Amino acid sequence: MDISALVNRLILLFFTMTVGFLAAKGGILDVNVNKAISKLVVNVTNPIQIFASVLTAEHLLSNWQVLELMGLSLACFALTITAGLALPRLLHAPKQDARVYQFMLSFSNLGFLGYPLVTALLGEGAAFYVTPFVLMFQLVCWSYGVFLLSGETCFRLSLDLLRRPCVVSALLACAIYLSGLRLPALFGEAMDYTGTITSQLAMLVIGCSLAQLHGRTVFGNWRIYVLCLCKLVLLPLLIWALLRGVLSELMLSVLILVQAMPVATNTTLICYECGANDEVGSSGVFLSTLLSAVTLPLLMALLFR
């Protein structure tokens, strides 16, 4: 495992986040521009990135194996979502922020970090295993995740989900992937070329959002630190203990890396979309990303020597 490559990738993310922070402090970015960029990411570049991830991926596993990975991903979501239900009581979180904490525990930054981090740590051959997890992440995040942050009282699946570009893109990506349909290589390259700006734009959004906060708001919230302990250390260790000896070392490595990633960047983006507390969301994304620069390499080095 190339731990140094993993650390380098996290440093690049912090650099882009810092650029967004300084641009906001310098008056180049403001809240309105930040929300416009957020809408661009949610409705345009992220759906393109999802689609491109399938068009450019190698088909190294059978459809049945891919479906098994999707099932494993859903099982992990069931675990993290269940843990998220208990988290607000543990944190004594204010009622209006309880669901933001649930969201942050349930969803890792897989959509933006999955491919670069897995490739950096485990090599190009492991990138294929990320695709089923990314597809399930998008479907669950933009259905159950939006339900959490929108404040609705009853979760139900409806055709309204098909109005969300990320959901449509993930469903189309699943269909194309499982059908084995091959589209022109140039089309895939064009989609990938456009989709790659998603991570950078998302980090700019986080940096700009952080610029609106006081340092005490970001670093003085003890609940965020407890959240990070549960998300970055305890849940990955629990999954490792449950599945050690059941999965191959490569598959288990990918799974633990996916689960030990920081809070999903989508937290801030969807908070903007749904009117939830983006201050708590941005603080969680920033601190978990900062702490993961230590916890993620250490966890992988200890568990997979």
Side-chain angles (χ1 to χ4, degrees):
M1 289 188 183
D2 192 351
I3 300 296
S4 62
L6 177 62
V7 174
N8 289 342
R9 178 63 65 172
L10 291 170
I11 290 173
L12 292 178
L13 290 175
F14 275 110
F15 179 81
T16 308
M17 196 184 299
T18 302
V19 170
F21 180 88
L22 294 176
K25 287 296 186 182
I28 299 172
L29 293 177
D30 59 24
V31 173
N32 291 328
V33 173
N34 208 36
K35 289 183 177 181
I37 295 175
S38 176
K39 286 186 177 181
L40 177 67
V41 171
V42 168
N43 296 305
V44 181
T45 66
N46 196 19
I48 289 175
Q49 184 188 46
I50 297 166
F51 204 63
S53 69
V54 166
L55 297 181
T56 57
E58 294 184 60
H59 290 233
L60 301 178
L61 300 178
S62 68
N63 283 355
W64 178 249
Q65 289 172 312
V66 170
L67 291 174
E68 286 183 328
L69 289 178
M70 289 180 176
L72 180 61
S73 175
L74 288 176
C76 289
F77 273 122
L79 176 63
T80 57
I81 288 172
T82 301
L85 294 174
L87 187 65
R89 291 185 180 181
L90 174 66
L91 299 179
H92 301 288
K95 185 176 181 180
Q96 68 272 20
D97 297 336
R99 288 188 167 193
V100 180
Y101 286 105
Q102 286 181 246
F103 185 99
M104 289 193 290
L105 186 67
S106 300
F107 297 99
S108 299
N109 203 356
L110 175 58
F112 299 132
L113 296 184
Y115 289 104
L117 290 191
V118 168
T119 300
L121 185 63
L122 302 172
E124 292 287 343
F128 172 82
Y129 289 87
V130 181
T131 300
F133 290 97
V134 171
L135 295 178
M136 290 299 99
F137 167 84
Q138 298 296 345
L139 292 175
V140 178
C141 178
W142 291 101
S143 54
Y144 181 76
V146 169
F147 154 75
L148 280 179
L149 296 184
S150 64
E152 296 178 8
T153 57
C154 182
F155 174 64
R156 59 187 179 85
L157 293 173
S158 70
L159 293 178
D160 288 343
L161 281 175
L162 298 180
R163 297 179 182 178
R164 299 194 173 277
C166 282
V167 173
V168 174
S169 181
L171 290 174
L172 287 175
C174 285
I176 289 176
Y177 196 89
L178 294 175
S179 69
L181 178 66
R182 293 288 185 178
L183 297 179
L186 183 58
F187 178 70
E189 290 176 15
M191 296 287 281
D192 186 57
Y193 181 78
T194 305
T196 51
I197 68 173
T198 299
S199 294
Q200 293 91 317
L201 288 177
M203 290 300 108
L204 288 175
V205 169
I206 300 301
C208 181
S209 181
L210 287 169
Q212 318 304 321
L213 308 179
H214 295 292
R216 184 176 180 181
T217 303
V218 178
F219 294 101
N221 186 346
W222 64 268
R223 295 182 179 90
I224 298 293
Y225 293 96
V226 177
L227 166 78
C228 290
L229 174 63
C230 295
K231 181 168 191 58
L232 302 179
V233 179
L234 299 182
L235 276 177
L237 284 175
L238 175 60
I239 292 173
W240 177 80
L242 291 173
L243 297 178
R244 184 186 182 190
V246 177
L247 302 177
S248 68
E249 182 169 322
L250 176 59
M251 187 64 253
L252 187 59
S253 299
V254 172
L255 179 59
I256 297 303
L257 182 57
V258 164
Q259 294 300 319
M261 286 182 186
V263 170
T265 305
N266 282 0
T267 306
T268 301
L269 305 180
I270 300 177
C271 279
Y272 276 144
E273 289 281 307
C274 298
N277 191 340
D278 62 277
E279 291 188 359
V280 172
S282 295
S283 298
V285 173
F286 174 75
L287 276 179
S288 65
T289 304
L290 179 65
L291 294 173
S292 71
V294 176
T295 61
L296 196 51
L298 184 61
L299 195 65
M300 297 304 291
L302 289 175
L303 297 182
F304 304 99
R305 296 179 181 178

